[in-house]
Amino acid sequence: VSDRPSEFALIARLFAPLAVDPAALGLTDDVCLLKHQAGCDLLVTTDMLTEGVHFLAGDPPNLIAGKALRVNLSDLAAKGAKPVGYLLAIAVPRSREYAWLECFARGLSDDQERFGVSLLGGDTTATEGPLTLSVTALGHVPAGTMIRRSGARPGDGVYVSGTIGDAGAGLAVLQSRLGEALRGVATAALDVSDGLLADLGHIADVSKVRITVQADSIPRSDVLRRLWPDQDGIVRAATAGDDYEIAFTAASEGAAIEAGRKAGIAVTRIGWVGAGLGAVLVDSAGQEIPVKQPGFVHF
Amino acid sequence: VSDRPSEFALIARLFAPLAVDPAALGLTDDVCLLKHQAGCDLLVTTDMLTEGVHFLAGDPPNLIAGKALRVNLSDLAAKGAKPVGYLLAIAVPRSREYAWLECFARGLSDDQERFGVSLLGGDTTATEGPLTLSVTALGHVPAGTMIRRSGARPGDGVYVSGTIGDAGAGLAVLQSRLGEALRGVATAALDVSDGLLADLGHIADVSKVRITVQADSIPRSDVLRRLWPDQDGIVRAATAGDDYEIAFTAASEGAAIEAGRKAGIAVTRIGWVGAGLGAVLVDSAGQEIPVKQPGFVHF
């Protein structure tokens, strides 16, 4: 019922050409083999995307591929890591055309070149349900320099890269290598994926601090300012997911701004870290703005 | 519509207790952090399982968890690696009860203890379709000792652990650490997952050799011998998937059998490696037995 070649032909035709790193062993074994990188720690992260939840059946396959890769590279970038490569597990409905998979592989190939990574391994299987993807990405940081979520301290400033609320493709921040520039500067960091306020709430939770965000300092694109001009619009931007910008805390404002300048990406101070718990949004008078749902909820 | 706690509560209640290795960072960051292990190479493998294809909706959740882990540990074992830990990405239907997930986590916990591994990270998300799991497992081998698929040479013998055709849970061979005992002994190895003959065909392909398997030498359990007593039964056993035994080639029969003895698991010589291509089954007269489908086809 499908024009699709067998699993092995699929791997040989579409995926083996993406396995450019020798660590992938040409996809001929079930594993990839990473040699030790002197003086480095290895970071591993995984994210799963399902059709109907994280993307729609009609979305362009190359953009779905890019999203699957970028959500993971974004996690690595926020930790200050340099990406190395990724494994891809994909469950494909039996009716899915070969052309869809070809376009998907093209999207992977484009982003591999853009971000300097290689396919390292994976698994291709069938599903009775929606197409489901799982990417596991690997990256290196100089030993001991990984930026965690738990390092925010009262007195730190709170910063964000780029603009918030656009559900951007994460291209600029990933290409900027801001994460690497933030090693030794950021005290805590993560990528904005659940929504700015929810994600800063994660930092606040594990750092055991209170984060206050000044609503009118949140950087928004001109388009978004025109679309949602009032305070309600700021709340919407601060609680929308899928930004892939980096939010971080830092003790030195000068060093934070300078890291952005070096990486070639805007970094804006949006708040401060204090004693207490949770992340809150305040208006210019310092009054807390009530927020019903600080971010995207998966279930 | 569900008694299920939120994503974050799920992670805290069910998965954080499984993240016993410090590399998991208590699941508070989006990544795990692996320190360099001196003199070791790191192996990474991933396998995806979907409900309705790799397991059924009514299967006990703890056994599904065990299977997801074992298919990956089995890949590592066949390469001679010692498992370290795993990342788990899981897409859960919104209607799935909390009790199901609790039982699933208990299955992970049991196998973690059995095999000495830790949950290192993961992703929990929703799906509109069948439950889908992706496990990425990490393991170490002494640098340069990984057993590949491409090392089989004419003159080598062909061996398999345990018995074939039972779709066993892979417990014995994983606990035996046969893979580690085969370092420096096996010239090529893999775990039997697609079917013995199909998997030996993979070794033959990448090693560019011909593998001949003597049908009546294939070790089968007593139950299977009674169930399928004739030659057709041997073909069925040799082409059934999901065994998780290790099939390998070795130049020295003495060393191969001794590795099995050391690991405490039966190792049987089932054939030989010659010049040519492909894997074939022959009867006691040396006549090739025709096989329509050498193994499990995913699509």
Side-chain angles (χ1 to χ4, degrees), chain A residues 7 29-30 36 45 79 298, chain B residues 7 29 36 45 79 298:
Chain A
E7 179 190 6
D29 279 87
D30 285 317
H36 164 61
T45 185
K79 303 286 134 192
H298 295 272
Chain B
E7 179 191 6
D29 279 87
H36 164 62
T45 185
K79 303 285 134 191
H298 296 271

Side-chain angles (χ1 to χ4, degrees), chain A residues 89-147:
Chain A
I90 179 168
V92 187
R94 291 176 210 275
S95 58
R96 193 61 49 106
E97 308 78 26
Y98 181 68
W100 193 100
L101 290 164
E102 236 180 345
C103 182
F104 178 83
R106 207 158 49 235
L108 291 176
S109 174
D110 289 348
D111 263 13
Q112 284 197 187
E113 271 187 45
R114 220 165 252 140
F115 303 121
V117 296
S118 169
L119 179 65
L120 294 175
D123 190 27
T124 309
T125 188
T127 179
E128 307 291 339
L131 191 132
T132 303
L133 292 167
S134 171
V135 168
T136 301
L138 306 156
H140 282 125
V141 287
T145 67
M146 178 183 133
I147 309 165

Side-chain angles (χ1 to χ4, degrees), chain B residues 127-138:
Chain B
T127 178
E128 307 291 339
L131 192 132
T132 303
L133 293 166
S134 170
V135 168
T136 301
L138 305 157

Side-chain angles (χ1 to χ4, degrees), chain B residues 8 15 17 63 67 117 127 145 152 164 184 202 221 247 259 265 277 299:
Chain B
F8 302 111
F15 296 126
L63 297 191
K67 179 169 181 175
V117 296
T127 178
T145 67
I164 284 292
H202 300 327
S221 65
I265 196 144
L277 281 176
F299 296 139

Side-chain angles (χ1 to χ4, degrees), chain A residues 8 28-31, chain B residues 71 73-80 147-151 158-161 164 173 178-179 182 186-207 211 243-249 270:
Chain A
F8 302 111
T28 57
D29 279 87
D30 285 317
V31 301
Chain B
V71 293
L73 296 181
S74 175
D75 284 328
L76 292 178
K79 303 285 134 191
I147 309 166
R148 296 202 49 180
R149 290 184 176 186
S150 54
V158 179
Y159 303 83
V160 73
S161 66
I164 284 292
V173 69
L178 174 63
L182 286 175
T187 50
L190 43 57
D191 64 319
V192 180
S193 54
D194 290 341
L196 178 65
L197 214 57
D199 286 313
L200 289 174
H202 300 327
I203 289 185
D205 281 351
V206 292
S207 294
I211 288 178
D243 276 302
Y244 309 116
E245 299 294 344
I246 295 180
F248 64 97
T249 58
I270 56 168

